[in-house]
Amino acid sequence: ALPGPTGRHGPALEALWDSIDDRLSALPGVDSVAVSVEGVLGASPGGGPSIVAGGSTQPPIQVERTMTVSPDFFRTVGQQILDGRDFDRQDGVDAPPVTIVSEALARRVFGVTHAAGRQIRLAGSATPVDVVGVVSDARHAGPRRPPGTMLYYPPGQNLRRLSRSMCIVVRSPLAPASLAPALRRELRAIEPALPVLRIDTVEEQLTSVLFQERLIIALAAFFAALAMLLTSLGLYAGLAFA
């Protein structure tokens, strides 16, 4: 879904996230619901901040990926909270800044996975951020990419990103085709101006990601072959001219 056309900003968008969570969770056959800016497989590599452990004088560590996720996201997508707690709705703009880190990032920064209760700082900032949880690693950037180091933000403390996109994740034993009409109906009731782009399964998203990767590889191979052909033709023409 695209939140932009709703005209909502900041706390109003966070309230929309909460309304979607509440309404969709109440549908028959729905086990859990969560919302993410980046989706399940949309985390981009190389876009994270540099961080240091609270009080550490060690050089900053570059985080590979970040995601903004609502409470219950990890349970919905099948990740396990290994230490500490999940986000909750109290983690808002007026609350102390918090984060959840991946297992790989906890090991990299602290040398252990039991890092809940510790603190990090963004490089160049004096404001400490409380690590409230550690979650199992996941391949949010696609099935062929390693999990990498992940930093997760609660929506109430990352309001500037909420207008980019909204991926609603639903866990249910029902067939997606049978659940989709109810999801669309509820979303229209919650916010008629919210465009719902598509409803698909994780398997369908995986197929799409793999297709894109294969297409990129095929195009790269084609242009490499074309470059070699043009180079050889240029060399042949030069020899003929000589």
Side-chain angles (χ1 to χ4, degrees):
L2 291 176
T6 66
R8 300 189 186 212
H9 302 281
L13 267 180
E14 184 187 7
L16 177 61
W17 280 43
D18 292 343
S19 297
I20 289 172
D21 194 346
D22 292 339
R23 291 280 291 268
L24 298 190
S25 295
L27 287 175
V30 171
D31 291 339
S32 62
V33 175
V35 187
S36 166
V37 170
E38 297 81 7
V40 178
L41 299 173
S44 299
S50 295
I51 64 170
V52 294
S56 173
T57 58
Q58 297 297 317
I61 292 171
Q62 177 75 38
V63 178
E64 293 178 66
R65 304 176 183 100
T66 63
M67 294 181 71
T68 301
V69 301
S70 72
D72 222 20
F73 174 83
F74 303 114
R75 182 170 75 91
T76 303
V77 301
Q79 288 178 261
Q80 294 183 335
I81 295 179
L82 306 175
D83 190 36
R85 65 169 176 89
D86 195 355
F87 294 135
D88 60 42
R89 293 185 183 178
Q90 302 306 311
D91 297 320
V93 66
D94 296 323
V98 298
T99 188
I100 292 174
V101 301
S102 67
E103 183 179 5
L105 184 57
R107 283 202 183 99
R108 180 92 185 275
V109 176
F110 302 108
V112 295
T113 58
H114 299 289
R118 302 200 184 194
Q119 292 183 327
I120 61 170
R121 288 185 298 104
L122 300 182
S125 172
T127 303
V129 180
D130 294 327
V131 177
V132 297
V134 179
V135 71
S136 58
D137 295 331
R139 297 177 182 270
H140 287 302
R144 297 187 188 278
R145 296 181 183 274
T149 52
M150 293 284 305
L151 191 66
Y152 299 90
Y153 298 109
Q157 296 183 359
N158 204 14
L159 296 176
R160 62 184 179 81
R161 300 187 69 175
L162 302 193
S163 61
R164 294 183 182 180
S165 65
M166 177 183 292
C167 176
I168 303 158
V169 187
V170 179
R171 175 178 286 271
S172 171
L174 301 179
S178 66
L179 189 58
L183 295 176
R184 290 186 181 275
R185 183 176 62 250
E186 288 298 314
L187 290 172
R188 282 196 299 269
I190 296 167
E191 175 53 77
L194 180 67
V196 179
L197 300 182
R198 66 183 182 275
I199 297 178
D200 54 16
T201 65
V202 172
E203 288 77 11
E204 289 170 336
Q205 292 183 35
L206 282 170
T207 299
S208 177
V209 169
L210 292 173
F211 172 78
Q212 293 175 25
E213 290 182 355
R214 286 194 294 267
L215 180 60
I216 291 171
I217 292 171
L219 288 174
F222 168 76
F223 285 114
L226 180 61
M228 292 178 62
L229 176 62
L230 293 176
T231 300
S232 63
L233 288 176
L235 177 61
Y236 177 77
L239 289 174
F241 180 77

